[in-house]
Amino acid sequence: MRRDNQGIITHYEGVVVDITDRKQAEEDLKKSEEKYRNILKNIADGYFEVDIAGNFNFFNDSMCRILGYSRNELFGMNNQEYMDKENAKKINKTFNKVYRTGIPTKALDWKLLRKDGSECFVETIVSLITDSNDKKIGRDIARDITDRKLLEDQLRQAQKMESIGTLTGSIARDFNNILYMIIGNVELALQNIPEWNPIYTNLKKIKTASLRAAGIVKQLLNFSRKTDQNLRPISITTVIQDALKFLNSTIPSTIKIQKKITDKEITILADPIQINQILMNICINASQAMEETGGILKINVEKEFVTADSAINYPDLVPGDYIKIMVSDAGPGIEPHRIDRIFDPYFTTKEIGKGSGMGLAVVQGIVKSHNGAITVESQLGQGTAFTILFPIVDEKPEVDSEMTDELPPVGSETILFVDDEESIVDVTGQILEQLGYKVETQTNPQEALKLFQSKPHHFDLVITDMTMPQMTGVKLSEKFMDIRSDIPVIICTGHSAHIDEKKARQLGIAAYIMKPMSMSDIAKAIRKVLNKTITAKQGLP
C-alpha cells in the first residue's frame, strides 16, 4: 500500500500466488479421504489400529460387528479383553515382532471372544504404520472366517466319523464271529444242564450279555452307515428300567437316580437298542454335569395328551397320546447362547477328550426317526432338563423270542455248512444236529464246491459265510446255483460292505442272516427257507 505526502493512499502493491494446484490437491485429498473412509465403512472385513500396548484407537464398523461391541465400548479396549490368555499371548507376540522388524505378517488365524461370550475366528494381516506424531501403530485387517472354520471342523469330524465307520465295519465281522461262538456254545451247554442248577442261571446271564453286546455292534454299524429303521411294538417302561439298572453301575456314587414311572404298561413303536442309546446318552451327560458336586438325576415317565394347541410347541408332532420322558440334573446348566446349538453336529460344551459333539445330534436324529420330539430347558446354576415324547400305540409289545421258552423249529433235511473258521463250523454243526438236521461241513470254499459237485442232489440247503479266503460267499453261491439252480442258499455273515439283505434277494439268495445269531434265529431261518422250497416243489401258491 503506497501513500502520498498528504498520507493519502495512492495505490496498492502485492504479490499474487496461483494456488489453483494446491486447492485442487486439497480437494483431491478430501475426496481420497472420503473414498477410503467409505471403503472402510462398507467393507465386510474388520480394520483397526492399535498402539504399542494393544489398545484400539481406530476401527471400522465391521470390527464392531465382528466382536459385537459398540464404537464407544470398543474404543480404547485392550486386545486381552476380547480373547483368552493363550490367544492374547500369541497376538502380542505377533504385534511385537511387527513393531520390532517392521515386516508385515502373513495371514494368521486368531480366535476372539465376542461380547456375548461366543467364539469367532478371524484371518488377519498385521502391518506397521507411523502416525502424525511419529509414533508406531499396529494396523490390522481382520476377515471373519467363523463359518469357514466351523465347516472345516465339521469336515474333519466327518472324516473322523468315516474312519470310525470303516474301523467299525472292519472289526464287526471278527467281533460278531466271537459273539456267535460264545452264544452258540452257551446254548449248547444250556441244552444239557437242568434249570435248577445254578450254572444254568449263570449261562443264561452270559447269553443275555452276549446278545446285548451284539446289539451294541449293530448299533455302531447303524451309526456308521444308513440303515432302514426296524421299529416294532415295545414296552417303553421295560427299556427304561433296564437302562437305569445298567446306569446305576456306571455313574459315580455321589449321584443318586430318582425315578418316577406312573404307568407300567405303555407301548410305542421303536427300536429298543436306539431307545436305550437315547437314555444312556442323556443320563451320562447329566451325570457328567454333576461329577464335581454330586446331586440327583431325576427320570420321570408319564403319559401326556398333546392337543392341537400344545402341538405348537412341538412342530414335528400331531395331536394324540404320548409317553413323556423327562431327564433332569442339578448341574451348572447351559449358557443361553449355547443352548440353541446343543443338537448341532460336532458342537460340544465338554472339554477335549470328554465329548465328540455327536451324542445329542444322534439322539435328536433317533427321536425324530421315531416320530417323536425332544426339547431342552436350562438355567445357569439350576441344572438342565430334557423332555422326550414318543407316540403311544394300542398294540401289545412283542416278546423277544430269546426271553421265551418257545422251542425252535426242527427238521431232518441235509445241510452243507461252509465257513473258514473251524470253531464256527464246529459250534454250528452241533447246533444243526441238535435241531435234527444231518450236517456236512467245510472250511474251504473250493473243497465245499467239489463236495457239492460230487453229489448235488444230496443236499437240501447250503449255508455259507460271506467273507472267506479264495472265494466270497456270493461267488460260491453262484457256483452252487450254476450246478443246481433250485438249491436254496443262506448267506451268514458277521459284516460285509459288499452285500446286504436287499442285494442278497436280487442275487437269488434264499436268506441273509447277520451273526451273531441264536439257535432260535438259525432254526427259524432254515425252516422258513426249506418250507418255501417244499411248497414251490409241490406247485402250491
Side-chain angles (χ1 to χ4, degrees):
M1 185 172 58
R2 297 290 182 177
R3 297 176 184 270
D4 61 13
N5 292 334
Q6 284 84 28
I8 298 171
I9 298 172
T10 59
H11 63 277
Y12 292 89
E13 292 178 357
V15 177
V16 176
V17 179
D18 186 352
I19 61 170
T20 304
D21 290 343
R22 192 183 78 189
K23 292 294 288 183
Q24 185 62 45
E26 289 175 352
E27 184 64 26
D28 291 344
L29 178 61
K30 183 179 178 181
K31 288 181 179 179
S32 177
E33 288 177 347
E34 184 67 24
K35 174 183 176 181
Y36 287 107
R37 190 178 293 112
N38 286 332
I39 290 173
L40 285 178
K41 182 178 180 180
N42 293 298
I43 61 172
D45 291 341
Y47 175 89
F48 64 94
E49 296 172 4
V50 294
D51 60 26
I52 195 166
N55 300 309
F56 275 110
N57 54 36
F58 182 82
F59 45 85
N60 66 353
D61 291 342
S62 290
M63 201 65 217
C64 295
R65 176 187 55 76
I66 289 171
L67 291 175
Y69 289 95
S70 68
R71 296 191 67 85
N72 290 337
E73 291 172 323
L74 199 57
F75 190 82
M77 184 181 287
N78 189 271
N79 57 21
Q80 294 190 28
E81 298 179 57
Y82 57 86
M83 62 190 70
D84 57 31
K85 291 181 180 179
E86 182 181 341
N87 278 273
K89 288 180 181 178
K90 185 169 70 172
I91 290 176
N92 284 337
K93 184 178 179 181
T94 301
F95 275 122
N96 288 334
K97 183 179 178 182
V98 174
Y99 281 128
R100 189 175 65 253
T101 65
I103 302 172
T105 66
K106 295 181 179 179
L108 300 171
D109 288 355
W110 288 347
K111 182 174 74 173
L112 309 180
L113 297 175
R114 296 189 180 102
K115 181 181 178 180
D116 63 5
S118 61
E119 295 177 347
C120 66
F121 296 87
V122 295
E123 187 176 70
T124 62
I125 298 176
V126 181
S127 58
L128 196 65
I129 60 173
T130 304
D131 68 4
S132 58
N133 297 318
D134 206 31
K135 288 183 179 179
K136 291 181 178 180
I137 293 176
R139 177 172 62 185
D140 197 317
I141 297 173
R143 174 165 294 175
D144 189 348
I145 58 168
T146 305
D147 290 342
R148 192 183 83 190
K149 289 286 287 185
L150 290 174
L151 287 172
E152 288 173 353
D153 288 344
Q154 289 181 13
L155 177 60
R156 280 193 291 271
Q157 289 291 348
Q159 289 170 337
K160 287 180 184 178
M161 295 311 301
E162 185 178 354
S163 298
I164 291 171
T166 302
L167 177 62
T168 301
S170 65
I171 67 171
R173 176 180 178 269
D174 290 337
F175 196 61
N176 280 334
N177 280 344
I178 293 168
L179 286 172
Y180 172 55
M181 285 183 271
I182 294 171
I183 294 169
N185 280 293
V186 165
E187 288 192 315
L188 288 171
L190 286 169
Q191 301 290 320
N192 300 309
I193 297 175
E195 292 187 22
W196 54 262
N197 193 316
I199 296 175
Y200 185 91
T201 303
N202 293 335
L203 290 171
K204 288 285 283 187
K205 289 180 179 178
I206 293 173
K207 179 183 174 182
T208 300
S210 298
L211 290 171
R212 179 176 292 177
I216 292 172
V217 176
K218 180 182 177 183
Q219 181 177 313
L220 288 170
L221 288 171
N222 287 344
F223 184 69
S224 65
R225 58 186 170 86
K226 183 176 177 60
T227 56
D228 294 331
Q229 285 280 28
N230 181 26
L231 308 185
R232 58 187 176 87
I234 66 165
S235 170
I236 182 64
T237 53
T238 301
V239 175
I240 293 171
Q241 298 277 23
D242 289 344
L244 295 183
K245 285 178 188 176
F246 180 76
L247 193 67
N248 261 321
S249 62
T250 60
I251 62 173
S253 57
T254 54
I255 298 170
K256 304 298 179 186
I257 295 178
Q258 186 181 92
K259 64 179 180 180
K260 181 181 178 183
I261 301 176
T262 56
D263 295 277
K264 304 296 182 184
E265 299 299 326
I266 302 174
T267 305
I268 68 170
L269 287 177
D271 180 333
I273 293 172
Q274 292 189 328
I275 299 300
N276 182 276
Q277 181 183 1
I278 290 172
L279 294 168
M280 293 302 295
N281 190 294
I282 292 177
C283 289
I284 288 174
N285 280 352
S287 66
Q288 288 177 344
M290 298 185 288
E291 267 182 338
E292 295 183 3
T293 59
I296 298 175
L297 174 59
K298 296 180 180 179
I299 296 96
N300 292 339
V301 182
E302 61 187 31
K303 288 182 179 179
E304 175 161 312
F305 182 76
V306 174
T307 64
D309 291 336
S310 60
I312 296 173
N313 300 318
Y314 308 104
D316 297 326
L317 301 188
V318 296
D321 288 315
Y322 288 81
I323 177 73
K324 182 165 76 172
I325 306 166
M326 293 165 287
V327 180
S328 58
D329 63 59
I334 304 170
E335 296 94 332
H337 69 273
R338 291 175 180 260
I339 198 163
D340 290 336
R341 296 190 58 202
I342 63 171
F343 294 114
D344 290 352
Y346 316 117
F347 177 79
T348 178
T349 59
K350 299 175 185 177
E351 60 187 78
I352 294 174
K354 286 198 171 181
S356 66
M358 285 302 296
L360 290 177
V362 172
V363 163
Q364 186 184 52
I366 294 173
V367 170
K368 286 187 174 181
S369 70
H370 284 68
N371 302 312
I374 181 169
T375 60
V376 59
E377 294 180 3
S378 184
Q379 290 187 5
L380 288 177
Q382 297 184 35
T384 303
F386 285 88
T387 301
I388 307 166
L389 292 101
F390 292 115
I392 296 173
V393 296
D394 293 330
E395 302 174 56
K396 293 201 172 185
E398 288 183 6
V399 180
D400 194 334
S401 61
E402 296 305 324
M403 299 303 178
T404 68
D405 295 325
E406 179 186 349
L407 293 175
V410 297
S412 59
E413 289 89 345
T414 302
I415 298 173
L416 172 60
F417 182 80
V418 188
D419 196 295
D420 60 306
E421 290 203 31
E422 188 73 46
S423 52
I424 289 181
V425 167
D426 180 58
V427 71
T428 306
Q430 292 184 61
I431 288 173
L432 296 177
E433 287 174 354
Q434 285 272 6
L435 294 170
Y437 297 103
K438 297 180 282 292
V439 187
E440 293 191 36
T441 61
Q442 285 290 336
T443 57
N444 184 307
Q446 296 283 9
E447 294 300 320
L449 190 59
K450 288 179 184 178
L451 176 62
F452 184 81
Q453 200 165 21
S454 67
K455 45 181 180 181
H457 294 282
H458 175 71
F459 300 103
D460 299 292
L461 174 69
V462 175
I463 304 175
T464 177
D465 185 32
M466 175 60 189
T467 308
M468 298 180 291
Q470 301 177 1
M471 198 182 303
T472 66
V474 167
K475 193 67 178 176
L476 184 60
S477 301
E478 290 173 348
K479 290 185 178 293
F480 284 143
M481 289 185 283
D482 285 342
I483 296 169
R484 183 181 145 200
S485 60
D486 65 339
I487 185 69
V489 180
I490 296 176
I491 283 187
C492 180
T493 180
H495 172 70
S496 174
H498 304 292
I499 190 170
D500 55 25
E501 191 169 358
K502 183 179 179 181
K503 289 180 182 176
R505 279 199 306 269
Q506 291 172 345
L507 292 169
I509 307 298
Y512 174 86
I513 308 176
M514 281 289 294
K515 296 176 189 173
M517 62 280 190
S518 66
M519 182 183 289
S520 177
D521 291 332
I522 299 171
K524 288 177 181 177
I526 290 172
R527 202 63 258 158
K528 183 178 180 180
V529 169
L530 289 174
N531 287 347
K532 186 177 180 180
T533 303
I534 292 169
T535 301
K537 285 181 178 179
Q538 293 175 344
L540 299 174

